[in-house]
Amino acid sequence: MPLSTNLPLNNECMAVLWTITEDEPMLRTNLTITTSELEELETIRHPAQRVEWLACRVAIRDLVEAQGVPYQGLVKDEYGKPHLINLPWHVSLSHTTGWGAAVLHRSRPVGIDIEPVRDQFTRVVPRVLSEAEISHAAGEAGRLAVYWCAKEALYKLYGKRQLTFREHLHVEPFADGADQLIGHVRLPDHEAQLTIRCFKTGPGLLAIAY
C-alpha cells in the first residue's frame, strides 16, 4: 500500500499526496492504462520518472474509485491536459522525485503542483513574476517558491498554451504561512478569479487551484 496523505479541501474537491515506495511492476498491477497512455509511458526512459508517472495514475484511480465509480483511464487533449474517460469530473496530476500527487474536482477545472523548495527559485522565479509580485516576494526564497508553485497550479488548471506566467497568471499578495491564496487568469478574451490552497508538505510545497 502507498504511503499517502489525503488533503483537506471541500466536498467537491479531494486530493492525495503519495510518498512513492512502489516499483513499476507493483504500480502497474490492476491499473487501467489506455493505448495512448502506454505510448506516452514508452517515451519515458528514466526508471524513476516512469514510476512517478505511474504513481500519479494510481493516485487518480484511487480518488475516482473512492467516489464509488470505476476508473477507465485518462485521455489527454490537444494541449496535454488529462481528462477522465467517461466521467465529467476534472483532474490534475503532478510529480517530483519520490513523490506523486493527484486532485479530483467534481464540477470545476482544477490544477495541482508539487515542488521542493530550491535555491534556484531566487534566480528563476523573478522572470515569471509581475513587478508587483517581485516587489512582494522581496527576494525571499519561501515567497518565491509559493509564487512558482501557485502559478504552476494555475497553468495546469487553465490547460492551454497561449499564456505566460508573467503576463497572464497572477497571484495576489499573501501573508507568510497563508494556506489560501487568490489567483487570476487574465487573457484578452478570458478572465477568472480562482482559489489556491497551499500546503507545506511532502517535498516542500503543494498547491491546488480551483
Side-chain angles (χ1 to χ4, degrees):
M1 294 293 292
L3 301 175
S4 61
T5 302
N6 292 315
L7 301 171
L9 292 158
N10 57 51
N11 292 335
E12 288 276 287
C13 186
M14 54 284 306
V16 63
L17 173 68
W18 272 29
T19 304
I20 303 172
T21 59
E22 299 80 8
D23 58 17
E24 181 170 333
M26 186 178 299
L27 290 167
R28 293 183 71 155
T29 301
N30 299 322
L31 177 63
T32 299
I33 306 177
T34 65
T35 299
S36 62
E37 286 184 294
L38 280 173
E39 291 172 352
E40 179 182 348
L41 179 59
E42 290 311 306
T43 68
I44 303 171
R45 300 302 180 190
H46 195 286
Q49 292 175 352
R50 291 173 64 90
V51 166
E52 292 165 16
W53 187 96
L54 287 163
C56 287
R57 279 149 181 82
V58 175
I60 202 65
R61 179 200 66 189
D62 289 354
L63 286 175
V64 169
E65 292 182 346
Q67 307 307 302
V69 297
Y71 173 75
Q72 299 181 45
L74 294 173
V75 62
K76 288 187 174 181
D77 62 22
E78 66 269 32
Y79 302 107
K81 184 178 176 67
H83 300 270
L84 292 168
I85 295 174
N86 293 329
L87 285 172
W89 303 333
H90 304 268
V91 298
S92 184
L93 312 173
S94 183
H95 59 82
T96 190
T97 302
W99 299 86
V103 62
L104 181 154
H105 201 295
R106 285 176 170 268
S107 60
R108 299 183 58 171
V110 67
I112 191 170
D113 188 58
I114 51 174
E115 298 283 348
V117 177
R118 297 168 287 188
D119 291 339
Q120 72 187 59
F121 281 131
T122 58
R123 302 189 302 274
V124 176
V125 175
R127 302 175 194 169
V128 301
L129 302 187
S130 68
E131 291 301 323
E133 290 166 342
I134 290 172
S135 176
H136 173 252
E140 295 185 14
R143 290 183 187 173
L144 291 169
V146 170
Y147 273 116
W148 176 265
C149 198
K151 287 199 173 193
E152 283 279 4
L154 286 173
Y155 183 85
K156 289 183 176 181
L157 177 150
Y158 186 65
K160 297 181 182 178
R161 295 178 183 148
Q162 66 268 31
L163 53 74
T164 67
F165 280 30
R166 183 182 178 89
E167 295 180 9
H168 303 125
L169 303 178
H170 303 276
V171 178
E172 294 187 8
F174 50 86
D176 292 335
D179 63 2
Q180 183 163 312
L181 316 179
I182 298 174
H184 301 268
V185 177
R186 294 182 177 135
L187 294 163
D189 60 348
H190 174 80
E191 288 198 16
Q193 177 175 306
L194 301 150
T195 297
I196 306 168
R197 295 293 306 278
C198 190
F199 300 87
K200 289 186 177 180
T201 187
L205 286 175
L206 182 149
I208 299 170
Y210 55 93

